[in-house]
Amino acid sequence: MMGLYYYYYGYLQALQLLAWTLPSMTFASFTDETLERAAKSEGYCSRILRAQGTRREGYNEFSLRVEGDPEFYKPGNSYRVTLSAATPAYFRGFTLIALKEGKEGDKEEDHAGTFQIIDEEETQFMSNCPVAVTESTPRRRTRIQVFWTAPPLGTGCVILKASIVQKRIIYFQDEGSLTKRLCEQDSTLDGVTEKPILDCCACGTAKYRLTFYGNWSEKTHPKDYPRRANHWSAIIGGSHSKNYVLWEYGGYASEGVKQVAELGSPVKMEEEIRQQSDEVLTVIKAKAQWPAWQPLNVRAAPSAEFSVDRTRHLMSFLTMLGPSPDWNVGLSAEDLCTKECGWVQKVIQDLIPWDAGTDSGVTYESPNKPTVPQEKIRPLTSLDHPQSPFYDPEGGSIKSVARVVIERIARKGEQCNIVPDNVDDIVADLAAEASEDEDDTPETCIYSNWSPWSACSSSTCEKGKRMRQRMLKAQLDLSVPCPETQDFQPCMGPGCSDEDGSTCMMSEWITWSPCSVSCGMGMRSRERYVKQFPDDGSMCKVPTEETEKCIVNEECSPSSCLVTEWGEWDECSASCGMGMKKRHRMIKMTPADGSMCKAEVTEAEKCMMPECHTIPCMLSPWSEWSDCSVTCGKGMRTRQRMLKSAAELGDCNEELEQVEKCMLPECPTDCELTEWSQWSECNKSCGKGHMIRTRMIEMEPQFGGAPCPETVQRKKCRIRKCLRNPSIEKRRWKEPREKRRSELVKEDVDGEQFPGCKMKPWTAWSECSKLCGGGIQERFMTVKKRFKSTQITSCKDKKELRACNVHPC
């Protein structure tokens, strides 16, 4: 049977393409005559086998699956496609193709999107039908994988179809497990960011690189294109959790988003992101682009790297399209976690501009006109306003102005998804792990000493890498693998240290603004902001803005040509020692008199990197950081390293200990109160009464500290027994009951009676001495009449106190 299979294998490509022309059929019983007819057929992807066969049911052990099981595709995005067989089934050959819905596949325009080979030993493009993927070698297999990049906007629904070849049988299903239907997702659907965002189940972390390609130019968007000062602002964003939203369709722009949208300034936006430190893993930043478009061979596309983890698996960013009222592009809450508990391999997204809802201009250079009240963020459409540069009376879609590519470059930590990596994934992961400080070299591997570290690949304060090498001299045990012979470590250029002696920490400088003039001498500026103020509360005296002169197009005559400002310098051509660096600019407008433009567009100069092989000694890896010196609040921690071979390499001035601040949860603070006040006077002049004393709350308990005890205390007091006047008592018994009753009523009106004196009524209570924290009120009773037989000490003014406003401040 195997010999028969190989006899037919030369015709398998024709066999496999039968899938999309004879749907829902299972084929057997092929003849040489049939194969010969198939080989002679003509047309695009039309070498199809017309064979006899009968329909067979129940072959569901084969399945075609798109990673994440989406129902819709995003134009330009890449998806991992898997063709698999359930145990114990297998297949020897296959064909995979993507067609526009309703098309037969016999024309080039019938096919949708493009496939990308992952493993060349398993898969290849079909020789007589380059849009289809087939096997590389005829052998038993249970799974293959490829990437499929979705077609551009406006394609509509797509049918992914697969056929399986097993011995002399082809299995194919038009509506089953070997067919997948995906429809185009409308990026402006309801104008609202997709909800809900699911929890992420991935393990470890993943590192991505964002690359931004601006294709907004006079050629692609000719209507009213601003020839001067067109640019993309600095990119700002972050990887974050679903509890934080940088911006979203249907939401309102924050002050930070507003400043990016209207002014192109990322300073406030970065401050807002860093204030959400618990919800943000990485702040994403990339430089501005002046002008908005340049060929990639003149200026590299801006890029930035960022990381994600299980809780912070979303990515958002934005950049201003300038000049404009408040138009931007970006992504909102892009989820990089898959349903299979893994990390997305690649995202490619075409971007259309959106309106921040803060300015009411309709053209690129409309005057500032604030939108009051502020409106919600929404995508621009081609029917917004007849004066809009994107206006289309037929209401067509806006042509994308940019493309963003987000590609996974490394993973770290134990991964829990079962999808195997391609070769690029494995290399990227190994490169990330190679920078670890652990020295786990087996004793059976004999190496030379490490070479000195190379100079840093970055000559600026941007992060770079440095490398060292060693040679494998002998491998005593071939069963024990030996580690890599290269070692990488992150670094920055000379004079760029993360640790600054100043207590006033500043951000990096934001990119220079454009020159204030387009011809002659002008001014430009740049700014930065305070990341951390001094611990003593003093103000930062470090300047936050710089200005300098700039010259653009020195000659302003009709015979001179207008050029852009110089771009950033390229990296030095040498990683150490002497090298060269270049910078470029572009011609914006040729001379008005028709003469040749003599302006230089490339400039080069020498650059000096640190001396090669200047590291004087070998050091052990840094130890783990010690525990924080405190159990709560702010403290310090340290780490050390040791000299490994100082005797061979001479003196070593490298630091052997590092100290840094550490912050643990805030310490519990107990409730604090004032001392007790003096006891008040007894509220009775005779008999049983009470006295009070109070205290106030100076500090409420915080972070689980002890609660506040009572703030008012009361105790009994008894001065003496109340005595009755005998003469008064005797007279009262002799008086008629009615007269005695009238006198009691009169006494109630005039005031209270005390032995030997008559008192005025109590005054009203005074206002509380404090609004909160425990105060005191007073009232008084004064003597109205003192009888001659009464002692002075027994008839005097009275005073009462009571507590008030005892609630905490």
Side-chain angles (χ1 to χ4, degrees):
M1 185 62 71
M2 284 298 294
L4 181 60
Y5 171 76
Y6 283 108
Y7 174 79
Y8 283 101
Y9 182 74
Y11 303 95
L12 282 179
Q13 292 184 343
L15 290 172
Q16 293 153 4
L17 287 169
L18 176 64
W20 57 82
T21 59
L22 297 177
S24 305
M25 298 294 291
T26 301
F27 298 90
S29 181
F30 304 107
T31 65
D32 290 346
E33 180 182 355
T34 306
L35 296 172
E36 184 178 356
R37 288 200 305 268
K40 293 181 180 179
S41 60
E42 299 293 333
Y44 188 83
C45 294
S46 61
R47 294 181 179 272
I48 302 168
L49 177 65
R50 305 289 183 180
Q52 302 294 323
T54 57
R55 181 184 181 122
R56 298 178 62 179
E57 303 287 351
Y59 292 100
N60 293 320
E61 63 267 43
F62 304 107
S63 64
L64 177 67
R65 185 168 180 269
V66 179
E67 184 178 21
D69 294 324
E71 296 180 2
F72 302 92
Y73 68 85
K74 290 183 178 181
N77 268 23
S78 293
Y79 300 85
R80 190 191 296 262
V81 178
T82 304
L83 183 61
S84 59
T87 305
Y90 63 92
F91 55 94
R92 297 182 181 277
F94 72 94
T95 298
L96 184 59
I97 199 164
L99 297 175
K100 296 177 183 177
E101 190 172 38
K103 301 296 182 181
E104 295 296 329
D106 54 353
K107 299 178 182 178
E108 183 176 0
E109 57 266 26
D110 291 353
H111 299 263
T114 56
F115 288 101
Q116 178 183 344
I117 300 299
I118 294 177
D119 188 349
E120 293 182 353
E121 293 183 1
E122 289 284 342
T123 55
Q124 67 178 9
F125 291 106
M126 187 175 287
S127 59
N128 60 345
C129 185
V131 293
V133 178
T134 187
E135 73 279 1
S136 296
T137 56
R139 64 178 183 82
R140 292 168 62 127
R141 52 175 58 82
T142 59
R143 178 167 64 178
I144 63 93
Q145 290 185 333
V146 295
F147 280 118
W148 176 69
T149 300
L153 289 167
T155 303
C157 295
V158 175
I159 308 297
L160 291 172
K161 295 184 175 184
S163 63
I164 293 292
V165 178
Q166 188 186 45
K167 298 181 181 179
R168 295 175 56 198
I169 303 174
I170 296 178
Y171 302 98
F172 180 78
Q173 293 172 324
D174 232 2
E175 294 179 359
S177 60
L178 289 175
T179 298
K180 180 70 177 178
R181 180 177 185 265
L182 298 175
C183 289
E184 180 177 338
Q185 177 177 299
D186 185 0
S187 61
T188 63
L189 184 62
D190 298 332
V192 179
T193 305
E194 296 176 61
K195 298 290 182 183
I197 299 170
L198 301 178
D199 290 333
C200 178
C201 60
C203 302
T205 62
K207 188 174 184 180
Y208 287 86
R209 179 182 294 112
L210 176 152
T211 307
F212 182 86
Y213 300 93
N215 59 1
W216 174 55
S217 66
E218 188 172 12
K219 181 178 180 180
T220 59
H221 297 80
K223 183 181 178 183
D224 299 333
Y225 186 81
R227 294 190 175 185
R228 299 186 180 183
N230 58 80
H231 69 282
W232 293 103
S233 73
I235 293 172
I236 183 69
S239 56
H240 57 92
S241 72
K242 63 181 180 181
N243 298 324
Y244 175 48
V245 177
L246 276 74
W247 71 271
E248 64 177 350
Y249 291 126
Y252 290 97
S254 66
E255 183 60 28
V257 172
K258 178 181 177 181
Q259 289 195 17
V260 174
E262 295 186 15
L263 308 175
S265 171
V267 177
K268 182 65 177 177
M269 189 74 224
E270 184 175 353
E271 182 181 340
E272 289 180 357
I273 295 172
R274 292 190 184 279
Q275 287 175 353
Q276 299 287 333
S277 56
D278 291 340
E279 307 297 335
V280 175
L281 182 60
T282 307
V283 178
I284 300 171
K285 295 193 296 182
K287 294 181 179 180
Q289 299 180 80
W290 294 83
W293 184 86
Q294 283 185 3
L296 292 179
N297 61 352
V298 174
R299 180 188 63 197
S303 64
E305 294 181 359
F306 64 96
S307 298
V308 291
D309 61 17
R310 176 175 289 190
T311 58
R312 292 158 293 190
H313 53 96
L314 307 177
M315 189 282 294
S316 302
F317 83 93
L318 69 158
T319 176
M320 171 200 180
L321 176 148
S324 71
D326 59 345
W327 300 340
N328 300 253
V329 298
L331 291 180
S332 174
E334 183 72 24
D335 196 348
L336 299 177
C337 184
T338 68
K339 294 179 181 179
E340 294 78 24
C341 304
W343 299 110
V344 172
Q345 174 70 26
K346 194 173 186 179
V347 175
I348 302 175
Q349 184 67 52
D350 290 319
L351 305 174
I352 62 171
W354 48 268
D355 188 303
T358 60
D359 192 288
S360 300
V362 295
T363 65
Y364 288 122
E365 300 181 88
S366 292
N368 186 39
K369 185 180 179 182
T371 302
V372 180
Q374 183 175 334
E375 294 178 352
K376 294 180 179 180
I377 296 173
R378 64 173 182 85
L380 293 177
T381 71
S382 59
L383 295 175
D384 286 337
H385 195 280
Q387 295 180 8
S388 167
F390 306 105
Y391 182 74
D392 181 359
E394 296 180 3
S397 60
I398 293 179
K399 189 173 183 179
S400 66
V401 295
R403 169 174 286 188
V404 63
V405 177
I406 303 169
E407 189 168 13
R408 197 182 80 211
I409 57 177
R411 294 180 302 184
K412 192 173 183 181
E414 184 178 358
Q415 303 295 314
C416 51
N417 65 315
I418 60 173
V419 179
D421 292 322
N422 60 33
V423 175
D424 292 336
D425 295 335
I426 297 171
V427 171
D429 292 344
L430 287 176
E433 293 173 1
S435 63
E436 297 293 331
D437 286 332
E438 298 177 3
D439 186 2
D440 54 357
T441 303
E443 295 180 357
T444 57
C445 300
I446 309 301
Y447 288 94
S448 66
N449 290 331
W450 284 107
S451 69
W453 285 105
S454 68
C456 191
S457 61
S458 172
S459 59
T460 66
C461 290
E462 298 291 331
K463 289 185 177 179
K465 286 185 179 181
R466 61 177 183 171
M467 181 191 73
R468 61 178 181 176
Q469 294 178 314
R470 60 182 177 180
M471 292 180 59
L472 178 61
K473 292 183 174 181
Q475 187 172 359
L476 304 181
D477 186 355
L478 296 178
S479 64
V480 178
C482 291
E484 297 294 320
T485 57
Q486 291 183 335
D487 190 15
F488 296 88
Q489 191 178 67
C491 60
M492 290 189 293
C496 301
S497 173
D498 288 331
E499 299 176 2
D500 189 352
S502 171
T503 56
C504 186
M505 294 179 60
M506 306 296 294
S507 71
E508 295 179 7
W509 286 105
I510 304 300
T511 310
W512 286 103
S513 68
C515 198
S516 59
V517 297
S518 60
C519 185
M521 180 176 288
M523 297 295 293
R524 65 177 185 172
S525 63
R526 63 177 182 175
E527 57 184 4
R528 60 180 176 178
Y529 66 93
V530 179
K531 294 174 67 177
Q532 180 176 321
F533 286 92
D535 294 337
D536 59 8
S538 61
M539 296 299 293
C540 287
K541 299 180 181 179
V542 182
T544 58
E545 187 172 357
E546 280 186 351
T547 59
E548 68 174 21
K549 295 180 180 179
C550 53
I551 299 177
V552 185
N553 304 305
E554 295 88 343
E555 297 182 11
C556 301
S557 63
S559 62
S560 62
C561 57
L562 295 180
V563 295
T564 65
E565 293 184 66
W566 286 108
E568 298 290 335
W569 285 104
D570 294 338
E571 292 183 0
C572 192
S573 60
S575 58
C576 62
M578 181 69 73
M580 296 293 293
K581 62 180 181 180
K582 294 181 180 180
R583 62 177 182 174
H584 310 273
R585 62 182 177 181
M586 294 183 64
I587 297 173
K588 295 175 64 175
M589 191 177 298
T590 56
D593 59 5
S595 60
M596 294 294 293
C597 185
K598 299 178 181 179
E600 296 291 336
V601 294
T602 302
E603 190 175 59
E605 68 175 26
K606 295 179 181 180
C607 51
M608 174 61 76
M609 299 295 288
E611 292 183 15
C612 302
H613 309 300
T614 58
I615 296 179
C617 59
M618 299 299 294
L619 299 165
S620 69
W622 284 107
S623 66
E624 295 293 330
W625 285 104
S626 66
D627 293 335
C628 199
S629 59
V630 296
T631 56
C632 60
K634 294 181 179 179
M636 304 296 291
R637 63 177 187 172
T638 61
R639 65 177 183 176
Q640 296 83 25
R641 59 182 175 180
M642 298 176 60
L643 298 175
K644 295 180 69 174
S645 55
E648 299 175 9
L649 299 173
D651 294 334
C652 181
N653 297 322
E654 297 287 336
E655 61 178 348
L656 301 179
E657 184 175 26
Q658 286 183 344
V659 181
E660 73 173 10
K661 296 178 181 179
C662 52
M663 171 67 79
L664 294 177
E666 294 286 348
C667 300
T669 304
D670 297 339
C671 176
E672 295 183 9
L673 302 102
T674 62
E675 296 294 327
W676 286 106
S677 67
Q678 297 293 327
W679 286 103
S680 68
E681 294 184 5
C682 194
N683 68 332
K684 300 290 185 180
S685 59
C686 64
K688 296 180 180 180
H690 65 268
M691 300 185 296
I692 63 171
R693 66 174 182 175
T694 61
R695 57 181 175 181
M696 294 186 301
I697 298 173
E698 288 188 333
M699 182 178 293
E700 292 286 344
Q702 296 180 350
F703 310 111
C708 293
E710 62 182 356
T711 56
V712 179
Q713 282 187 347
R714 180 190 302 260
K715 72 176 181 178
K716 296 179 180 179
C717 57
R718 182 169 183 172
I719 301 177
R720 57 185 174 79
K721 291 184 178 180
C722 296
L723 299 176
R724 296 181 178 179
N725 191 314
S727 60
I728 294 177
E729 282 294 309
K730 187 176 181 180
R731 189 165 54 252
R732 280 183 178 176
W733 284 109
K734 293 179 180 180
E735 291 174 348
R737 179 176 297 174
E738 291 77 12
K739 184 179 180 180
R740 204 163 59 241
R741 182 177 301 162
S742 65
E743 286 184 2
L744 289 172
V745 172
K746 184 179 180 181
E747 287 172 3
D748 289 340
V749 174
D750 294 340
E752 293 186 29
Q753 290 287 352
F754 285 87
C757 60
K758 181 181 290 186
M759 309 296 291
K760 291 183 179 179
W762 285 104
T763 63
W765 288 103
S766 65
E767 292 186 2
C768 194
S769 62
K770 293 186 178 180
L771 297 177
C772 60
I776 294 177
Q777 287 179 299
E778 300 176 326
R779 70 174 182 173
F780 301 89
M781 179 187 285
T782 58
V783 176
K784 182 177 182 182
K785 183 178 181 182
R786 183 181 291 112
F787 299 104
K788 294 181 179 180
S789 60
T790 306
Q791 296 182 1
I792 296 178
T793 56
S794 64
C795 187
K796 60 181 180 180
D797 295 342
K798 311 294 180 185
K799 180 172 75 172
E800 276 190 348
L801 300 175
R802 72 178 182 184
C804 56
N805 293 342
V806 295
H807 58 276
C809 294

